[in-house]
Amino acid sequence: MSALEPVLNTLDNNLDKSLERLFDLLKIKSISTDPAFKSECRRAAEWLAADLKSIGFEASVRDTPGHPMVVGHHEGPGADAPHVLFYGHYDVQPVDPLNLWDHDPFEPAIKDVGNGRKILTGRGTSDDKGQLMTFVEACRAYKEVHGKLPVKISILFEGEEESGSPSLKPFLDAHRDELKADFALVCDTGMWDGETPAISVGLRGLVGEEIVIKAADRDLHSGMFGGAAANPIRILTKILADIHDENGAVTIPGFYDGVEETPTQILQMWKGLDATPENFLGPVGLSIPSGEKGRSLLELIWARPTAEFNGITGGYTGQGFKTVIAAEASAKVSFRLVHKQNPAKIREAFRAFVRERVPADCSVEFHEHGASPAIQLSYESPLLSKAKNALSDEWPKPAVLIAMGGSIPIVGDFQRMLGMESLLVGFGLEDDRIHSPNEKYELTSFHKGQRSWARILDALATPGKV
Amino acid sequence: MSALEPVLNTLDNNLDKSLERLFDLLKIKSISTDPAFKSECRRAAEWLAADLKSIGFEASVRDTPGHPMVVGHHEGPGADAPHVLFYGHYDVQPVDPLNLWDHDPFEPAIKDVGNGRKILTGRGTSDDKGQLMTFVEACRAYKEVHGKLPVKISILFEGEEESGSPSLKPFLDAHRDELKADFALVCDTGMWDGETPAISVGLRGLVGEEIVIKAADRDLHSGMFGGAAANPIRILTKILADIHDENGAVTIPGFYDGVEETPTQILQMWKGLDATPENFLGPVGLSIPSGEKGRSLLELIWARPTAEFNGITGGYTGQGFKTVIAAEASAKVSFRLVHKQNPAKIREAFRAFVRERVPADCSVEFHEHGASPAIQLSYESPLLSKAKNALSDEWPKPAVLIAMGGSIPIVGDFQRMLGMESLLVGFGLEDDRIHSPNEKYELTSFHKGQRSWARILDALATPGKV
């Protein structure tokens, strides 16, 4: 019999107890954005530290200028075992508007919704207390069965994720040596659907830029000056229109440097996900993908870079009409980056592209609004194939490797500050209503999530470099 | 001796008395926008009616829902004499900020500014009491010398020009038969410079249009949807950028229908005016004409149509950055029209041009913001050559035929409602500070303006169809 089998059995047998523990944690009102709940946040941190200690972790609550961190460490079976850092957050979103909840958000419950399906209801069930406890329960069962853990495990629980993580970077910076592991496990993501687990292997990066085109030194009357004076809205719209060619590709020289073609088998896998334009765009009232022609919808949002115009303004924008030629016009432009695109180079290429198109008697100002490279786990990584197989063993359908169109700051921080890649696995579903009234988590997610982590930890412990 | 010579002599001899009359009118505080001056407006109207009566006009003050009109009629020398309608306005702009005036705005004075130059100071000296009295004085002198006027003259003085002329159209409509003449004389314009009189022969028309591009039914996150969802700002900027080609010409099919080439001799005359891009654009901080390449600056603003973008807005336009793909974006677009361009056809052509460029899963809404055709006096008109010669006889430099980039509503009203063309002649100068503190009018403008009208009336009376 494998080492895994009795761990899975223990998880099955202890499900009720694990729910009791989760409910204890869920009852703590750890809303990080509201100072009124400061002591509740600390109570959640203390509850977690105590729980980790009960499993044998060397765990403690660490003060920060904001809400405390919880850090725990547990030895692995030997010196050459992999070392993983698990990240989660114990703080939750506010619960307003309270009248839209069907029940007290801090009185968690199990609800039978028919067809054999049960859900856990309450604030934090899915985001992120339910998710992080799947991992803790897997550790507990492993320890209970084998007296030790299959790999060396460090844990970092944050209490400010819902309020912008102001203390996170300074904390990582001050504890680099303590927190650095071979890789991180981040459980703040979701499944593809209720039967299909998912691993996020790519997160797009971002360059944000604001441009202000300046023409005359004052607003002009379009009757008197129209046809003579440069119109900054015309200059701006011409520049923005030049950024995409007729096939939806970005025309800025060098923009695609560092963009890699996604492996054929991954594209095939994505095709199997049936994310048609109708499925994906229909719910927001659209139907035609706007990006590069000849690429599938999922490739467009997961593995291709974009140029988006997030805001534009100039001239008279109020009610009615004013025949004015404005002195200036501005736009906020962002680029989503993939693979090895270099944010600094993209910004410079964009600025050069704009400057070339500004008439000699006009000028342009640039304002920087953030930059972060994309994150891409190698499709060849053994870590990935081990996790993928482990998840596929647990769920009705094989695990899929997906990507995310946006960024998850913690993953970038781990990479940049600790030189550590992250494996993004979670069991949330799209309809979990995180951040909204009536947040829920599937009982299946909680139960099979625990079993999934047990399988992943087991896989990581087996020989083979990760 | 001609009929004209003694009239001119009389004007010279009566200059002091004409100034006394003007100052009496200037002292009346006929500010039309401020209800506190309602009775002053009526007093100005009554003063003018009485003055016209003293010359032999059948004149009266006519009530309107706002400030009254003054209407006067005077027979000409015979049944086949031309009939002209002279238009002016007796209301003036408010005088705030009062502390920026060098003197009481309603205590007019003659000021010697050196080099033999004298100016008349006070609110309304240039806009429009000083100007309208140049015409009245010419009539008075003609009557005094010859006992009759050289042509049949009707006069319309309005008291709401500075407050949007709300009563004008209803009044014209109710008095079509009474006010219809062979043509109108409008004196609310200026000279090219202190030595060069000008006649405005063209006024550009206008079509105003607002377009709203609608994409998704809600704002979207650009990380999640960027590359997949249509971005209305991108669609809008592409449409607007398509409107001008690389030579600055408008690409909307049919846009130039009805646009005529300006006669070579007129273009030559305009070249002589030395309105270089440096002279015209320099004062507002620009130097390069933005319109169709290969056309002079004056042709661009006087005789060529334009497409201008007067306002644009969409997405996030506040401080900082928001990675949003907006649900909609909108722009206010206006077209300045010349010659025989048809406003309704231009609007339809523009709408078709836009619709063609909106993706099938997006939509566009149009909002109409006014339409008026251009006004263009034929360069061949005998009226024009008579007035031009008369002015050239009076001033140091020959009169120039100019145009105006914007519209003067009264001219359009006369054309549309009374089927009557207007001759636009005035003696204001660019530095008259109309609408501002320290408004002034050159004594030369007032004196030679009277003489100019005497010459024009004399020319109109001589045989030859106008």
Side-chain angles (χ1 to χ4, degrees):
Chain A
M1 190 167 143
S2 75
L4 178 63
E5 210 59 36
V7 177
L8 297 178
N9 291 337
T10 299
L11 287 171
D12 294 345
N13 295 335
N14 289 351
L15 182 61
D16 285 350
K17 282 183 191 156
S18 73
L19 280 168
E20 278 172 33
R21 283 186 286 268
L22 173 62
F23 284 16
D24 282 349
L25 177 59
L26 288 169
K27 286 174 186 165
I28 304 174
K29 302 172 182 177
S30 49
I31 302 170
S32 60
T33 53
D34 186 342
F37 296 92
K38 189 170 160 56
S39 65
E40 289 285 282
C41 288
R42 176 164 292 273
R43 208 153 69 81
E46 282 165 353
W47 187 97
L48 280 165
D51 196 50
L52 290 179
K53 278 179 192 164
S54 77
I55 305 171
F57 278 82
E58 184 194 313
S60 57
V61 172
R62 309 284 186 89
D63 286 340
T64 75
H67 301 299
M69 303 280 178
V70 177
V71 178
H73 299 290
H74 198 297
E75 280 310 300
D80 54 352
H83 177 197
V84 308
L85 173 70
F86 180 86
Y87 165 88
H89 64 91
Y90 65 77
D91 63 320
V92 298
Q93 278 277 315
V95 295
D96 323 290
L98 201 54
N99 61 315
L100 294 186
W101 287 79
D102 295 337
H103 47 79
D104 184 332
F106 294 108
E107 280 300 333
I110 303 178
K111 202 168 154 187
D112 192 326
V113 288
N115 293 323
R117 189 179 142 223
K118 289 180 179 173
I119 59 173
L120 314 181
T121 61
R123 176 55 91 223
T125 46
S126 177
D127 182 21
D128 181 50
K129 289 170 175 170
Q131 299 246 62
L132 71 83
M133 287 303 288
T134 58
F135 185 81
V136 173
E137 294 300 340
C139 293
R140 191 189 325 271
Y142 233 110
K143 188 71 183 287
E144 188 179 318
V145 172
H146 298 292
K148 60 183 181 183
L149 296 185
V151 295
K152 180 178 174 186
I153 296 178
S154 294
I155 284 182
L156 173 65
F157 291 141
E158 182 193 2
E160 301 181 323
E161 201 271 346
E162 304 293 4
S163 48
S165 301
S167 308
L168 187 68
K169 281 186 194 177
F171 192 82
L172 291 183
D173 194 45
H175 301 85
R176 283 171 193 266
D177 292 343
E178 183 183 356
L179 296 172
K180 170 89 172 84
D182 295 325
F183 53 87
L185 302 174
V186 174
C187 75
D188 206 6
T189 58
M191 316 235 309
W192 175 253
D193 62 32
E195 298 193 314
T196 317
I199 304 172
S200 297
V201 295
L203 301 173
R204 291 197 291 191
L206 183 76
V207 166
E209 187 82 350
E210 186 171 357
I211 61 175
V212 185
I213 305 288
K214 302 192 168 199
D217 59 15
R218 70 204 73 176
D219 284 1
L220 303 174
H221 187 276
S222 75
M224 190 164 172
F225 283 92
N231 184 325
I233 301 177
R234 181 171 147 200
I235 297 164
L236 180 64
T237 54
K238 202 87 173 176
I239 291 169
L240 297 184
D242 274 358
I243 290 176
H244 295 91
D245 70 13
E246 68 281 9
N247 294 315
V250 173
T251 62
I252 298 169
F255 182 75
Y256 289 98
D257 290 356
V259 177
E260 293 162 357
E261 286 299 326
T262 301
T264 313
Q265 69 273 27
I266 299 293
L267 291 177
Q268 280 303 118
M269 183 190 284
W270 293 351
K271 270 193 188 149
L273 293 178
D274 197 33
T276 60
E278 293 71 36
N279 292 345
F280 186 81
L281 293 174
V284 298
L286 295 171
S287 59
I288 308 168
S290 67
E292 297 160 277
K293 294 207 169 75
R295 310 262 178 191
S296 74
L297 190 132
L298 289 179
E299 188 183 7
L300 287 175
I301 56 172
W302 287 350
R304 299 301 298 176
T306 67
E308 286 293 347
F309 311 144
N310 306 106
I312 190 166
T313 186
Y316 181 70
T317 60
Q319 286 294 307
F321 212 87
K322 215 172 144 182
T323 50
V324 68
I325 297 178
E328 61 178 58
S330 66
K332 296 181 204 278
V333 177
S334 64
F335 301 94
R336 294 278 165 184
L337 310 186
V338 300
H339 312 137
K340 300 194 173 73
Q341 278 181 299
N342 180 320
K345 283 190 180 169
I346 298 275
R347 191 187 302 282
E348 270 323 301
F350 172 63
R351 290 184 174 187
F353 182 92
V354 172
R355 281 194 199 99
E356 257 175 33
R357 286 162 175 79
V358 176
D361 61 344
C362 300
S363 65
V364 57
E365 263 179 22
F366 296 98
H367 300 281
E368 187 171 330
H369 287 286
S372 59
I375 286 175
Q376 181 73 41
L377 207 60
S378 165
Y379 289 109
E380 312 302 325
S381 147
L383 169 64
L384 201 57
S385 59
K386 285 183 175 183
K388 183 171 184 300
N389 292 338
L391 287 166
S392 300
D393 287 346
E394 175 63 26
W395 295 84
K397 293 188 179 167
V400 290
L401 306 184
I402 64 171
M404 298 180 75
S407 58
I408 297 185
I410 184 72
V411 178
D413 294 337
F414 283 162
Q415 184 166 76
R416 278 187 296 279
M417 301 181 67
L418 304 185
M420 186 167 65
E421 291 200 316
S422 297
L423 188 73
L424 288 131
V425 173
F427 307 97
L429 291 180
E430 216 180 331
D431 66 354
D432 279 353
R433 290 186 292 278
I434 64 169
H435 295 208
S436 298
N438 297 324
E439 180 177 346
K440 64 91 177 162
Y441 197 48
E442 300 289 321
L443 177 59
T444 307
S445 290
F446 187 60
H447 182 201
K448 292 175 83 68
Q450 299 173 18
R451 291 172 52 99
S452 295
W453 284 122
R455 288 180 187 276
I456 290 173
L457 291 175
D458 183 68
L460 294 176
T462 58
K465 189 180 172 301
V466 293
Chain B
M1 190 168 142
S2 75
L4 177 63
E5 209 59 38
V7 177
L8 297 178
N9 290 338
T10 300
L11 287 171
D12 293 347
N13 295 334
N14 289 350
L15 182 60
D16 284 352
K17 281 182 192 157
S18 74
L19 280 168
E20 277 171 34
R21 283 185 286 268
L22 174 62
F23 283 16
D24 281 351
L25 178 59
L26 288 169
K27 285 174 187 167
I28 303 173
K29 303 173 181 176
S30 49
I31 301 169
S32 61
T33 53
D34 186 341
F37 296 92
K38 188 170 161 56
S39 65
E40 288 286 280
C41 287
R42 176 165 292 274
R43 208 152 69 80
E46 283 165 353
W47 187 98
L48 281 165
D51 195 50
L52 290 179
K53 279 180 191 162
S54 76
I55 305 172
F57 278 83
E58 185 191 312
S60 56
V61 171
R62 309 285 185 88
D63 287 340
T64 75
H67 302 299
M69 303 279 176
V70 177
V71 178
H73 300 290
H74 197 296
E75 281 309 301
D80 54 352
H83 179 196
V84 308
L85 173 71
F86 181 86
Y87 165 89
H89 64 90
Y90 65 77
D91 62 322
V92 297
Q93 279 276 316
V95 294
D96 323 293
L98 201 54
N99 61 316
L100 294 185
W101 286 79
D102 294 338
H103 47 78
D104 184 331
F106 292 110
E107 280 301 333
I110 303 179
K111 201 169 156 185
D112 192 326
V113 288
N115 293 324
R117 190 178 142 225
K118 291 180 179 173
I119 59 172
L120 313 180
T121 60
R123 176 57 90 222
T125 46
S126 176
D127 184 20
D128 182 47
K129 289 172 176 171
Q131 300 245 61
L132 70 85
M133 286 305 287
T134 58
F135 185 81
V136 173
E137 295 300 340
C139 293
R140 191 189 324 271
Y142 233 108
K143 188 69 182 289
E144 188 179 319
V145 171
H146 297 293
K148 60 184 180 181
L149 296 185
V151 294
K152 180 177 174 186
I153 296 179
S154 293
I155 283 181
L156 174 65
F157 291 140
E158 182 193 3
E160 302 181 323
E161 200 273 345
E162 304 293 3
S163 49
S165 300
S167 307
L168 186 69
K169 280 186 194 177
F171 191 81
L172 291 183
D173 194 45
H175 301 85
R176 284 171 192 266
D177 293 341
E178 183 184 355
L179 296 172
K180 169 90 171 81
D182 296 325
F183 53 87
L185 302 174
V186 174
C187 74
D188 207 5
T189 59
M191 316 233 309
W192 175 252
D193 61 32
E195 300 193 314
T196 316
I199 304 173
S200 297
V201 295
L203 301 172
R204 291 197 289 192
L206 183 76
V207 167
E209 188 82 350
E210 186 172 356
I211 61 175
V212 185
I213 305 288
K214 303 191 169 202
D217 59 15
R218 71 204 73 176
D219 284 359
L220 303 174
H221 187 276
S222 74
M224 191 164 171
F225 283 92
N231 183 326
I233 301 177
R234 181 171 147 201
I235 296 164
L236 180 64
T237 55
K238 202 86 174 177
I239 291 169
L240 297 184
D242 274 358
I243 290 177
H244 295 91
D245 70 14
E246 67 281 10
N247 295 314
V250 173
T251 62
I252 298 169
F255 181 74
Y256 288 98
D257 290 356
V259 177
E260 294 161 359
E261 284 301 324
T262 301
T264 313
Q265 68 273 27
I266 299 293
L267 291 177
Q268 279 304 116
M269 183 189 286
W270 292 353
K271 268 190 190 154
L273 294 178
D274 196 34
T276 60
E278 294 70 37
N279 292 345
F280 186 81
L281 293 173
V284 298
L286 295 171
S287 60
I288 307 169
S290 68
E292 297 161 276
K293 292 208 170 76
R295 310 261 178 191
S296 74
L297 189 134
L298 289 179
E299 189 183 5
L300 288 175
I301 56 172
W302 286 350
R304 299 300 299 175
T306 67
E308 288 293 347
F309 310 145
N310 306 106
I312 191 167
T313 185
Y316 181 69
T317 59
Q319 286 293 308
F321 212 88
K322 214 171 144 182
T323 50
V324 67
I325 296 179
E328 62 178 57
S330 67
K332 295 183 204 275
V333 178
S334 64
F335 301 94
R336 294 278 165 183
L337 310 186
V338 299
H339 311 137
K340 302 195 172 73
Q341 279 180 299
N342 181 320
K345 282 189 180 167
I346 298 274
R347 191 187 302 284
E348 270 322 302
F350 171 64
R351 291 184 174 186
F353 182 92
V354 172
R355 281 193 199 99
E356 257 175 30
R357 285 163 175 79
V358 175
D361 60 345
C362 300
S363 65
V364 57
E365 262 180 22
F366 297 97
H367 301 281
E368 188 171 328
H369 287 285
S372 61
I375 285 175
Q376 180 73 41
L377 207 58
S378 166
Y379 288 108
E380 312 302 324
S381 148
L383 170 64
L384 201 55
S385 57
K386 285 182 176 188
K388 183 172 182 301
N389 292 336
L391 287 166
S392 300
D393 287 345
E394 175 63 25
W395 294 85
K397 294 189 179 168
V400 289
L401 306 183
I402 63 172
M404 300 180 75
S407 57
I408 298 187
I410 183 74
V411 178
D413 293 338
F414 283 162
Q415 184 165 78
R416 279 187 296 279
M417 301 181 69
L418 305 185
M420 186 168 63
E421 290 200 317
S422 297
L423 187 73
L424 289 131
V425 173
F427 307 97
L429 290 181
E430 217 180 330
D431 66 354
D432 279 354
R433 291 186 292 277
I434 62 170
H435 295 208
S436 299
N438 298 324
E439 180 176 347
K440 63 90 177 162
Y441 196 45
E442 300 288 321
L443 177 58
T444 307
S445 290
F446 188 58
H447 182 201
K448 291 174 85 67
Q450 298 174 17
R451 291 171 53 98
S452 296
W453 283 122
R455 289 180 188 276
I456 290 173
L457 290 176
D458 183 67
L460 294 176
T462 58
K465 189 181 172 300
V466 294

